[in-house]
Each structure stands twice: as structure tokens, then as C-alpha cells.
Short mmCIF file of all heavy atoms in Angstrom, two decimals:
data_model
loop_
_atom_site.label_atom_id
_atom_site.label_comp_id
_atom_site.label_asym_id
_atom_site.label_seq_id
_atom_site.Cartn_x
_atom_site.Cartn_y
_atom_site.Cartn_z
N GLY P 1 13.58 77.25 122.79
CA GLY P 1 13.97 77.79 121.45
C GLY P 1 14.49 79.23 121.63
O GLY P 1 14.52 79.79 122.68
N GLY P 2 15.02 79.73 120.49
CA GLY P 2 15.54 81.03 120.52
C GLY P 2 16.51 81.30 119.34
O GLY P 2 16.51 80.57 118.38
N LEU P 3 17.19 82.44 119.42
CA LEU P 3 18.16 82.82 118.39
C LEU P 3 19.54 82.52 118.92
O LEU P 3 19.94 82.84 120.03
CB LEU P 3 18.01 84.38 118.15
CG LEU P 3 19.05 85.01 117.27
CD1 LEU P 3 18.99 84.44 115.83
CD2 LEU P 3 18.90 86.49 117.31
N VAL P 4 20.33 81.88 118.08
CA VAL P 4 21.70 81.57 118.41
C VAL P 4 22.57 81.67 117.20
O VAL P 4 22.15 81.64 116.04
CB VAL P 4 21.75 80.09 118.95
CG1 VAL P 4 21.35 79.04 117.88
CG2 VAL P 4 23.12 79.70 119.52
N GLN P 5 23.85 82.01 117.44
CA GLN P 5 24.80 82.15 116.36
C GLN P 5 25.26 80.81 115.83
O GLN P 5 25.24 79.79 116.56
CB GLN P 5 25.99 82.96 116.77
CG GLN P 5 25.67 84.46 117.11
CD GLN P 5 26.93 85.21 117.42
OE1 GLN P 5 27.92 84.71 117.66
NE2 GLN P 5 26.75 86.54 117.33
N PRO P 6 25.72 80.75 114.61
CA PRO P 6 26.31 79.44 114.12
C PRO P 6 27.39 78.91 114.97
O PRO P 6 28.24 79.74 115.45
CB PRO P 6 26.79 79.83 112.70
CG PRO P 6 25.96 80.99 112.24
CD PRO P 6 25.70 81.79 113.56
N GLY P 7 27.30 77.65 115.24
CA GLY P 7 28.28 76.96 116.19
C GLY P 7 27.80 76.97 117.57
O GLY P 7 28.40 76.38 118.42
N GLY P 8 26.67 77.65 117.91
CA GLY P 8 26.18 77.68 119.24
C GLY P 8 25.37 76.51 119.58
O GLY P 8 25.19 75.57 118.78
N SER P 9 24.80 76.57 120.84
CA SER P 9 24.02 75.47 121.35
C SER P 9 22.63 75.91 121.90
O SER P 9 22.54 77.09 122.37
CB SER P 9 24.79 74.72 122.47
OG SER P 9 25.99 74.16 122.01
N LEU P 10 21.68 75.03 121.86
CA LEU P 10 20.45 75.20 122.58
C LEU P 10 20.00 73.92 123.14
O LEU P 10 20.29 72.84 122.58
CB LEU P 10 19.40 75.77 121.62
CG LEU P 10 19.41 77.29 121.19
CD1 LEU P 10 18.38 77.49 120.11
CD2 LEU P 10 19.25 78.19 122.36
N ARG P 11 19.12 74.00 124.16
CA ARG P 11 18.50 72.79 124.69
C ARG P 11 16.97 72.99 124.75
O ARG P 11 16.52 73.92 125.41
CB ARG P 11 19.07 72.49 126.10
CG ARG P 11 18.62 71.20 126.70
CD ARG P 11 18.90 71.15 128.14
NE ARG P 11 18.87 69.77 128.69
CZ ARG P 11 18.53 69.48 130.02
NH1 ARG P 11 18.33 70.50 130.81
NH2 ARG P 11 18.55 68.21 130.40
N LEU P 12 16.33 72.13 124.07
CA LEU P 12 14.87 72.12 124.07
C LEU P 12 14.35 71.15 125.02
O LEU P 12 14.90 70.10 125.33
CB LEU P 12 14.30 71.77 122.64
CG LEU P 12 14.80 72.60 121.46
CD1 LEU P 12 14.14 72.09 120.21
CD2 LEU P 12 14.62 74.02 121.65
N SER P 13 13.15 71.56 125.68
CA SER P 13 12.52 70.63 126.66
C SER P 13 11.05 70.47 126.22
O SER P 13 10.44 71.43 125.59
CB SER P 13 12.57 71.23 128.05
OG SER P 13 13.90 71.42 128.51
N CYS P 14 10.52 69.43 126.51
CA CYS P 14 9.12 69.12 126.24
C CYS P 14 8.56 68.23 127.38
O CYS P 14 9.03 67.14 127.59
CB CYS P 14 8.99 68.42 124.88
SG CYS P 14 7.31 67.79 124.50
N THR P 15 7.45 68.70 128.01
CA THR P 15 6.87 67.94 129.11
C THR P 15 5.39 67.60 128.70
O THR P 15 4.64 68.41 128.23
CB THR P 15 6.82 68.85 130.33
OG1 THR P 15 8.19 69.12 130.72
CG2 THR P 15 6.17 68.07 131.50
N ALA P 16 5.14 66.31 128.92
CA ALA P 16 3.80 65.75 128.63
C ALA P 16 2.98 65.74 129.92
O ALA P 16 3.52 65.47 131.01
CB ALA P 16 3.88 64.31 128.08
N SER P 17 1.72 66.06 129.79
CA SER P 17 0.83 66.00 130.91
C SER P 17 -0.50 65.36 130.54
O SER P 17 -0.84 65.21 129.37
CB SER P 17 0.53 67.44 131.46
OG SER P 17 -0.13 68.17 130.44
N GLY P 18 -1.19 64.88 131.59
CA GLY P 18 -2.48 64.29 131.30
C GLY P 18 -2.30 62.84 130.80
O GLY P 18 -1.33 62.21 131.07
N ARG P 19 -3.30 62.37 130.10
CA ARG P 19 -3.33 61.00 129.64
C ARG P 19 -2.20 60.59 128.76
O ARG P 19 -1.76 59.42 128.71
CB ARG P 19 -4.63 60.70 128.99
CG ARG P 19 -5.89 60.79 129.87
CD ARG P 19 -7.15 60.46 129.10
NE ARG P 19 -8.34 60.53 129.86
CZ ARG P 19 -9.54 60.27 129.52
NH1 ARG P 19 -9.71 59.91 128.22
NH2 ARG P 19 -10.57 60.41 130.28
N ILE P 20 -1.67 61.59 128.05
CA ILE P 20 -0.58 61.26 127.08
C ILE P 20 0.75 61.07 127.69
O ILE P 20 1.73 60.74 127.05
CB ILE P 20 -0.52 62.29 125.90
CG1 ILE P 20 -0.15 63.64 126.45
CG2 ILE P 20 -1.85 62.33 125.18
CD1 ILE P 20 0.13 64.68 125.31
N SER P 21 0.89 61.47 128.95
CA SER P 21 2.18 61.32 129.63
C SER P 21 2.41 59.84 130.06
O SER P 21 1.42 59.13 130.23
CB SER P 21 2.25 62.26 130.84
OG SER P 21 1.34 61.83 131.81
N GLY P 22 3.69 59.50 130.15
CA GLY P 22 3.96 58.14 130.58
C GLY P 22 4.93 57.44 129.73
O GLY P 22 5.79 58.11 129.13
N VAL P 23 4.79 56.18 129.62
CA VAL P 23 5.80 55.33 128.96
C VAL P 23 5.47 55.26 127.46
O VAL P 23 5.00 54.24 127.03
CB VAL P 23 5.94 53.90 129.59
CG1 VAL P 23 7.07 53.18 129.00
CG2 VAL P 23 6.09 54.07 131.10
N ASN P 24 5.82 56.28 126.76
CA ASN P 24 5.57 56.31 125.39
C ASN P 24 6.83 56.68 124.59
O ASN P 24 7.75 57.37 125.17
CB ASN P 24 4.50 57.37 125.01
CG ASN P 24 3.19 57.10 125.71
OD1 ASN P 24 2.75 56.01 125.83
ND2 ASN P 24 2.59 58.21 126.24
N THR P 25 6.91 56.43 123.31
CA THR P 25 7.99 56.97 122.47
C THR P 25 7.79 58.51 122.39
O THR P 25 6.62 58.98 122.18
CB THR P 25 7.96 56.33 121.10
OG1 THR P 25 8.30 54.98 121.20
CG2 THR P 25 8.94 57.02 120.19
N MET P 26 8.81 59.28 122.54
CA MET P 26 8.76 60.72 122.36
C MET P 26 9.89 61.15 121.49
O MET P 26 10.90 60.43 121.28
CB MET P 26 8.87 61.44 123.77
CG MET P 26 7.73 61.09 124.70
SD MET P 26 7.85 62.08 126.25
CE MET P 26 7.42 63.73 125.72
N GLY P 27 9.74 62.39 120.98
CA GLY P 27 10.87 62.85 120.09
C GLY P 27 10.52 64.18 119.55
O GLY P 27 9.64 64.96 120.04
N TRP P 28 11.25 64.52 118.51
CA TRP P 28 11.23 65.82 117.84
C TRP P 28 11.20 65.74 116.32
O TRP P 28 11.88 64.93 115.79
CB TRP P 28 12.40 66.67 118.31
CG TRP P 28 12.50 66.91 119.73
CD1 TRP P 28 13.04 66.13 120.67
CD2 TRP P 28 11.98 68.03 120.45
NE1 TRP P 28 12.99 66.66 121.92
CE2 TRP P 28 12.30 67.84 121.82
CE3 TRP P 28 11.30 69.22 120.17
CZ2 TRP P 28 11.90 68.77 122.82
CZ3 TRP P 28 10.96 70.13 121.10
CH2 TRP P 28 11.23 69.85 122.38
N HIS P 29 10.38 66.61 115.75
CA HIS P 29 10.39 66.85 114.29
C HIS P 29 10.67 68.34 114.17
O HIS P 29 10.63 69.09 115.12
CB HIS P 29 9.07 66.53 113.65
CG HIS P 29 8.86 65.09 113.37
ND1 HIS P 29 8.86 64.13 114.36
CD2 HIS P 29 8.60 64.47 112.25
CE1 HIS P 29 8.57 62.95 113.86
NE2 HIS P 29 8.43 63.06 112.53
N ARG P 30 10.96 68.81 112.93
CA ARG P 30 11.11 70.24 112.70
C ARG P 30 10.63 70.55 111.31
O ARG P 30 10.51 69.67 110.42
CB ARG P 30 12.61 70.64 112.82
CG ARG P 30 13.53 70.01 111.70
CD ARG P 30 14.93 70.37 112.01
NE ARG P 30 15.86 69.89 110.99
CZ ARG P 30 17.12 69.98 111.01
NH1 ARG P 30 17.76 70.53 112.07
NH2 ARG P 30 17.92 69.50 110.07
N GLN P 31 10.18 71.83 111.16
CA GLN P 31 9.70 72.27 109.86
C GLN P 31 10.29 73.67 109.60
O GLN P 31 10.01 74.59 110.35
CB GLN P 31 8.21 72.34 109.87
CG GLN P 31 7.62 72.64 108.52
CD GLN P 31 6.07 72.36 108.45
OE1 GLN P 31 5.43 72.19 109.49
NE2 GLN P 31 5.52 72.28 107.31
N ALA P 32 11.06 73.72 108.51
CA ALA P 32 11.62 75.02 108.05
C ALA P 32 10.59 75.64 107.04
O ALA P 32 9.82 74.95 106.49
CB ALA P 32 12.96 74.76 107.35
N PRO P 33 10.70 76.95 106.89
CA PRO P 33 9.80 77.64 105.90
C PRO P 33 9.84 76.93 104.54
O PRO P 33 10.92 76.61 104.03
CB PRO P 33 10.38 79.07 105.84
CG PRO P 33 11.02 79.22 107.15
CD PRO P 33 11.58 77.92 107.50
N ASP P 34 8.69 76.73 103.93
CA ASP P 34 8.56 76.08 102.63
C ASP P 34 9.02 74.64 102.58
O ASP P 34 9.19 74.10 101.45
CB ASP P 34 9.30 76.94 101.61
CG ASP P 34 8.81 78.39 101.52
OD1 ASP P 34 7.59 78.56 101.68
OD2 ASP P 34 9.60 79.30 101.29
N ASN P 35 9.27 74.03 103.67
CA ASN P 35 9.66 72.62 103.75
C ASN P 35 8.65 71.80 104.46
O ASN P 35 7.81 72.33 105.27
CB ASN P 35 10.97 72.46 104.41
CG ASN P 35 12.16 72.95 103.55
OD1 ASN P 35 11.99 73.37 102.43
ND2 ASN P 35 13.39 72.81 104.12
N GLU P 36 8.65 70.50 104.17
CA GLU P 36 7.76 69.62 104.89
C GLU P 36 8.37 69.35 106.35
O GLU P 36 9.60 69.52 106.53
CB GLU P 36 7.59 68.29 104.18
CG GLU P 36 6.82 68.44 102.84
CD GLU P 36 6.54 67.14 102.22
OE1 GLU P 36 7.06 66.11 102.69
OE2 GLU P 36 5.84 67.12 101.15
N ARG P 37 7.47 68.94 107.21
CA ARG P 37 7.99 68.54 108.51
C ARG P 37 8.90 67.32 108.47
O ARG P 37 8.49 66.33 107.77
CB ARG P 37 6.84 68.30 109.49
CG ARG P 37 7.22 68.18 110.89
CD ARG P 37 5.98 68.09 111.81
NE ARG P 37 5.19 69.30 111.84
CZ ARG P 37 4.10 69.50 112.66
NH1 ARG P 37 3.87 68.66 113.59
NH2 ARG P 37 3.47 70.64 112.56
N GLU P 38 9.98 67.28 109.16
CA GLU P 38 10.91 66.18 109.05
C GLU P 38 11.33 65.67 110.42
O GLU P 38 11.36 66.43 111.37
CB GLU P 38 12.18 66.53 108.29
CG GLU P 38 13.01 67.61 108.93
CD GLU P 38 14.31 67.89 108.15
OE1 GLU P 38 14.58 67.32 107.07
OE2 GLU P 38 15.08 68.71 108.67
N PHE P 39 11.56 64.39 110.51
CA PHE P 39 12.00 63.79 111.74
C PHE P 39 13.38 64.22 112.13
O PHE P 39 14.27 64.42 111.29
CB PHE P 39 12.04 62.25 111.58
CG PHE P 39 12.60 61.53 112.72
CD1 PHE P 39 11.90 61.26 113.87
CD2 PHE P 39 13.94 61.00 112.57
CE1 PHE P 39 12.48 60.54 114.91
CE2 PHE P 39 14.46 60.35 113.66
CZ PHE P 39 13.76 60.06 114.84
#
């Protein structure tokens, strides 16, 4: 994550470890201020 100007790009990474790692569905949600978390 970080700060970027409009039109820019970022790449997020997420690594699982322990029992929860492996062949599972993975993904991302986000939550903006005063909003609910969304897929």
C-alpha cells in the first residue's frame, strides 16, 4: 500500500502462513472511511 497520484498504479501482496495457507480461495476487500467493507 501507499500514496499514489490519480492514474497511478500499485501492487498489493498478501502471503498466507501456517494452517491457513494452501489451496484456498483468496482475495481482497476494501473499506473506505464511513463505508462498509466491500468485495
Side-chain angles (χ1 to χ4, degrees):
L3 173 64
V4 64
Q5 294 186 343
S9 298
L10 284 173
R11 188 192 195 207
L12 306 183
S13 300
C14 172
T15 298
S17 63
R19 294 182 180 180
I20 64 172
S21 65
V23 186
N24 304 318
T25 294
M26 297 184 72
W28 299 87
H29 282 58
R30 67 186 180 186
Q31 187 167 16
D34 300 323
N35 285 0
E36 294 186 353
R37 191 173 296 190
E38 63 177 3
F39 172 79

